[in-house]
Amino acid sequence: MKTRIPVAVAACLLSLSTLTAQELKDTTWSSYGVSFRAPSDITVEDDSEEGYIVSNDTYYITVQLLDGEGFKRNELGDELKNIANDDQVSDQSAVQSFETPQFYGAQIEGNCEGEACLYSYLLSKDDSCGFYVSILYKQKGDTVPETILKSFKLED
């Protein structure tokens, strides 16, 4: 009987982790032809030229055009740090630079009024556009926000 209890506990934990795993699907901000992977149960709150906001119980994702900012690739980190400081993001990580097939990016993680958050700037490699991305989420250490961020692409 003692060997069944750990097996039963492991089975319950496995089923709970399966239930909390997020299935991702493509969502598109049609005003600017940018898409990314987001949880399948996401609800679109705003799809206008001013921004694209989607959310569910766990994630709140905001995307805005970097219109007229004129950022250069080497300025992304400093500018992102300034935004995070202006928004009073606490427990900030170091700024991390990254690349996707279509974007140069910078990201910073921290705490935004009690919720974990990830801020990012994305500049297209063809210099056609740039975006500010903010993802608020419930669980610090959650890897889904980074998966979402790295999935951004421009539609053909």
Side-chain angles (χ1 to χ4, degrees), residues 5 11 31 59 67 72 78 96 98 115 117 136 139 145-146 148:
I5 291 173
S31 294
Y59 304 98
D67 188 26
K72 300 205 180 334
D78 290 339
Q96 297 175 8
F98 64 93
E115 289 195 307
C117 59
L136 302 178
Q139 183 88 23
E146 189 163 342
I148 293 168

PDB file of all heavy atoms in Angstrom, residues 5 11 31 59 67 72 78 96 98 115 117 136 139 145-146 148:
ATOM      1  N   ILE A   5       0.759   4.958  -2.762  1.00  0.00           N
ATOM      2  CA  ILE A   5       0.519   6.358  -2.430  1.00  0.00           C
ATOM      3  C   ILE A   5       1.422   7.272  -3.253  1.00  0.00           C
ATOM      4  O   ILE A   5       0.929   8.190  -3.904  1.00  0.00           O
ATOM      5  CB  ILE A   5       0.665   6.611  -0.917  1.00  0.00           C
ATOM      6  CG1 ILE A   5      -0.496   5.928  -0.193  1.00  0.00           C
ATOM      7  CG2 ILE A   5       0.670   8.109  -0.615  1.00  0.00           C
ATOM      8  CD1 ILE A   5      -0.395   5.958   1.307  1.00  0.00           C
ATOM      9  N   ALA A  11       0.688  10.556 -10.167  1.00  0.00           N
ATOM     10  CA  ALA A  11      -0.330  10.575 -11.215  1.00  0.00           C
ATOM     11  C   ALA A  11      -1.191  11.830 -11.110  1.00  0.00           C
ATOM     12  O   ALA A  11      -1.518  12.451 -12.120  1.00  0.00           O
ATOM     13  CB  ALA A  11      -1.196   9.320 -11.135  1.00  0.00           C
ATOM     14  N   SER A  31      -3.974  45.153 -38.236  1.00  0.00           N
ATOM     15  CA  SER A  31      -3.614  46.525 -38.612  1.00  0.00           C
ATOM     16  C   SER A  31      -2.170  46.634 -39.086  1.00  0.00           C
ATOM     17  O   SER A  31      -1.849  47.462 -39.940  1.00  0.00           O
ATOM     18  CB  SER A  31      -3.811  47.481 -37.433  1.00  0.00           C
ATOM     19  OG  SER A  31      -5.169  47.576 -37.093  1.00  0.00           O
ATOM     20  N   TYR A  59      -2.717  35.367 -18.650  1.00  0.00           N
ATOM     21  CA  TYR A  59      -1.852  36.250 -19.430  1.00  0.00           C
ATOM     22  C   TYR A  59      -2.610  37.477 -19.926  1.00  0.00           C
ATOM     23  O   TYR A  59      -3.760  37.384 -20.350  1.00  0.00           O
ATOM     24  CB  TYR A  59      -1.282  35.511 -20.647  1.00  0.00           C
ATOM     25  CG  TYR A  59      -0.545  34.254 -20.255  1.00  0.00           C
ATOM     26  CD1 TYR A  59      -1.170  33.022 -20.325  1.00  0.00           C
ATOM     27  CD2 TYR A  59       0.760  34.310 -19.792  1.00  0.00           C
ATOM     28  CE1 TYR A  59      -0.515  31.864 -19.944  1.00  0.00           C
ATOM     29  CE2 TYR A  59       1.417  33.162 -19.408  1.00  0.00           C
ATOM     30  CZ  TYR A  59       0.783  31.944 -19.480  1.00  0.00           C
ATOM     31  OH  TYR A  59       1.431  30.810 -19.091  1.00  0.00           O
ATOM     32  N   ASP A  67       5.931  53.844 -33.136  1.00  0.00           N
ATOM     33  CA  ASP A  67       5.718  54.790 -34.219  1.00  0.00           C
ATOM     34  C   ASP A  67       6.580  56.036 -34.011  1.00  0.00           C
ATOM     35  O   ASP A  67       6.409  56.749 -33.031  1.00  0.00           O
ATOM     36  CB  ASP A  67       4.239  55.176 -34.278  1.00  0.00           C
ATOM     37  CG  ASP A  67       3.894  55.995 -35.486  1.00  0.00           C
ATOM     38  OD1 ASP A  67       4.587  55.880 -36.514  1.00  0.00           O
ATOM     39  OD2 ASP A  67       2.910  56.753 -35.416  1.00  0.00           O
ATOM     40  N   LYS A  72      17.426  52.626 -32.637  1.00  0.00           N
ATOM     41  CA  LYS A  72      18.392  51.815 -33.352  1.00  0.00           C
ATOM     42  C   LYS A  72      18.597  50.534 -32.544  1.00  0.00           C
ATOM     43  O   LYS A  72      18.340  50.500 -31.346  1.00  0.00           O
ATOM     44  CB  LYS A  72      19.692  52.569 -33.513  1.00  0.00           C
ATOM     45  CG  LYS A  72      19.517  53.871 -34.287  1.00  0.00           C
ATOM     46  CD  LYS A  72      20.789  54.295 -34.943  1.00  0.00           C
ATOM     47  CE  LYS A  72      20.674  55.578 -35.712  1.00  0.00           C
ATOM     48  NZ  LYS A  72      19.437  55.977 -36.237  1.00  0.00           N
ATOM     49  N   ASP A  78      18.737  49.999 -23.552  1.00  0.00           N
ATOM     50  CA  ASP A  78      18.670  51.197 -22.709  1.00  0.00           C
ATOM     51  C   ASP A  78      17.269  51.789 -22.705  1.00  0.00           C
ATOM     52  O   ASP A  78      16.756  52.199 -21.653  1.00  0.00           O
ATOM     53  CB  ASP A  78      19.676  52.252 -23.186  1.00  0.00           C
ATOM     54  CG  ASP A  78      21.120  51.848 -22.907  1.00  0.00           C
ATOM     55  OD1 ASP A  78      21.350  50.996 -22.020  1.00  0.00           O
ATOM     56  OD2 ASP A  78      22.014  52.376 -23.594  1.00  0.00           O
ATOM     57  N   GLN A  96      18.079  41.466 -21.765  1.00  0.00           N
ATOM     58  CA  GLN A  96      18.622  40.420 -22.629  1.00  0.00           C
ATOM     59  C   GLN A  96      18.302  40.752 -24.082  1.00  0.00           C
ATOM     60  O   GLN A  96      17.155  41.030 -24.408  1.00  0.00           O
ATOM     61  CB  GLN A  96      18.014  39.065 -22.284  1.00  0.00           C
ATOM     62  CG  GLN A  96      18.331  38.589 -20.895  1.00  0.00           C
ATOM     63  CD  GLN A  96      17.615  37.294 -20.562  1.00  0.00           C
ATOM     64  OE1 GLN A  96      16.992  36.658 -21.411  1.00  0.00           O
ATOM     65  NE2 GLN A  96      17.699  36.893 -19.315  1.00  0.00           N
ATOM     66  N   PHE A  98      18.081  39.499 -28.068  1.00  0.00           N
ATOM     67  CA  PHE A  98      17.811  38.249 -28.782  1.00  0.00           C
ATOM     68  C   PHE A  98      17.465  38.566 -30.223  1.00  0.00           C
ATOM     69  O   PHE A  98      17.249  39.726 -30.580  1.00  0.00           O
ATOM     70  CB  PHE A  98      16.675  37.451 -28.106  1.00  0.00           C
ATOM     71  CG  PHE A  98      15.341  38.142 -28.129  1.00  0.00           C
ATOM     72  CD1 PHE A  98      14.438  37.892 -29.161  1.00  0.00           C
ATOM     73  CD2 PHE A  98      14.969  39.029 -27.137  1.00  0.00           C
ATOM     74  CE1 PHE A  98      13.204  38.522 -29.197  1.00  0.00           C
ATOM     75  CE2 PHE A  98      13.734  39.666 -27.162  1.00  0.00           C
ATOM     76  CZ  PHE A  98      12.856  39.406 -28.192  1.00  0.00           C
ATOM     77  N   GLU A 115       2.285  41.288 -10.146  1.00  0.00           N
ATOM     78  CA  GLU A 115       2.272  40.231 -11.156  1.00  0.00           C
ATOM     79  C   GLU A 115       3.622  40.204 -11.869  1.00  0.00           C
ATOM     80  O   GLU A 115       4.278  41.224 -12.012  1.00  0.00           O
ATOM     81  CB  GLU A 115       1.163  40.461 -12.195  1.00  0.00           C
ATOM     82  CG  GLU A 115      -0.222  40.239 -11.650  1.00  0.00           C
ATOM     83  CD  GLU A 115      -1.247  40.121 -12.753  1.00  0.00           C
ATOM     84  OE1 GLU A 115      -1.307  41.009 -13.616  1.00  0.00           O
ATOM     85  OE2 GLU A 115      -1.982  39.126 -12.728  1.00  0.00           O
ATOM     86  N   CYS A 117       6.017  40.152 -15.016  1.00  0.00           N
ATOM     87  CA  CYS A 117       5.847  40.802 -16.313  1.00  0.00           C
ATOM     88  C   CYS A 117       7.108  40.661 -17.143  1.00  0.00           C
ATOM     89  O   CYS A 117       8.211  40.503 -16.626  1.00  0.00           O
ATOM     90  CB  CYS A 117       5.468  42.269 -16.160  1.00  0.00           C
ATOM     91  SG  CYS A 117       6.643  43.284 -15.245  1.00  0.00           S
ATOM     92  N   LEU A 136       1.893  40.430 -18.982  1.00  0.00           N
ATOM     93  CA  LEU A 136       1.695  40.227 -17.546  1.00  0.00           C
ATOM     94  C   LEU A 136       1.229  38.799 -17.347  1.00  0.00           C
ATOM     95  O   LEU A 136       0.403  38.305 -18.121  1.00  0.00           O
ATOM     96  CB  LEU A 136       0.645  41.189 -16.993  1.00  0.00           C
ATOM     97  CG  LEU A 136       0.909  42.685 -17.184  1.00  0.00           C
ATOM     98  CD1 LEU A 136      -0.255  43.494 -16.621  1.00  0.00           C
ATOM     99  CD2 LEU A 136       2.210  43.097 -16.532  1.00  0.00           C
ATOM    100  N   GLN A 139       2.494  33.516 -12.779  1.00  0.00           N
ATOM    101  CA  GLN A 139       3.506  32.690 -12.120  1.00  0.00           C
ATOM    102  C   GLN A 139       4.915  33.095 -12.528  1.00  0.00           C
ATOM    103  O   GLN A 139       5.296  32.910 -13.682  1.00  0.00           O
ATOM    104  CB  GLN A 139       3.260  31.220 -12.483  1.00  0.00           C
ATOM    105  CG  GLN A 139       4.186  30.249 -11.829  1.00  0.00           C
ATOM    106  CD  GLN A 139       3.673  29.806 -10.477  1.00  0.00           C
ATOM    107  OE1 GLN A 139       2.496  29.878 -10.206  1.00  0.00           O
ATOM    108  NE2 GLN A 139       4.571  29.334  -9.649  1.00  0.00           N
ATOM    109  N   PRO A 145       5.517  33.091 -21.489  1.00  0.00           N
ATOM    110  CA  PRO A 145       5.696  34.441 -22.027  1.00  0.00           C
ATOM    111  C   PRO A 145       6.890  34.568 -22.973  1.00  0.00           C
ATOM    112  O   PRO A 145       6.790  35.226 -24.005  1.00  0.00           O
ATOM    113  CB  PRO A 145       5.887  35.296 -20.764  1.00  0.00           C
ATOM    114  CG  PRO A 145       5.103  34.566 -19.732  1.00  0.00           C
ATOM    115  CD  PRO A 145       5.350  33.112 -20.025  1.00  0.00           C
ATOM    116  N   GLU A 146       7.993  33.910 -22.663  1.00  0.00           N
ATOM    117  CA  GLU A 146       9.141  33.973 -23.571  1.00  0.00           C
ATOM    118  C   GLU A 146       8.844  33.227 -24.870  1.00  0.00           C
ATOM    119  O   GLU A 146       9.241  33.667 -25.949  1.00  0.00           O
ATOM    120  CB  GLU A 146      10.397  33.418 -22.905  1.00  0.00           C
ATOM    121  CG  GLU A 146      11.614  33.681 -23.745  1.00  0.00           C
ATOM    122  CD  GLU A 146      12.920  33.529 -22.993  1.00  0.00           C
ATOM    123  OE1 GLU A 146      12.922  33.549 -21.752  1.00  0.00           O
ATOM    124  OE2 GLU A 146      13.943  33.393 -23.681  1.00  0.00           O
ATOM    125  N   ILE A 148       5.911  32.987 -26.246  1.00  0.00           N
ATOM    126  CA  ILE A 148       5.048  33.928 -26.978  1.00  0.00           C
ATOM    127  C   ILE A 148       5.909  34.988 -27.659  1.00  0.00           C
ATOM    128  O   ILE A 148       5.772  35.250 -28.857  1.00  0.00           O
ATOM    129  CB  ILE A 148       4.019  34.570 -26.030  1.00  0.00           C
ATOM    130  CG1 ILE A 148       3.015  33.528 -25.535  1.00  0.00           C
ATOM    131  CG2 ILE A 148       3.318  35.751 -26.708  1.00  0.00           C
ATOM    132  CD1 ILE A 148       2.139  34.003 -24.383  1.00  0.00           C
TER     133      ILE A 148
END
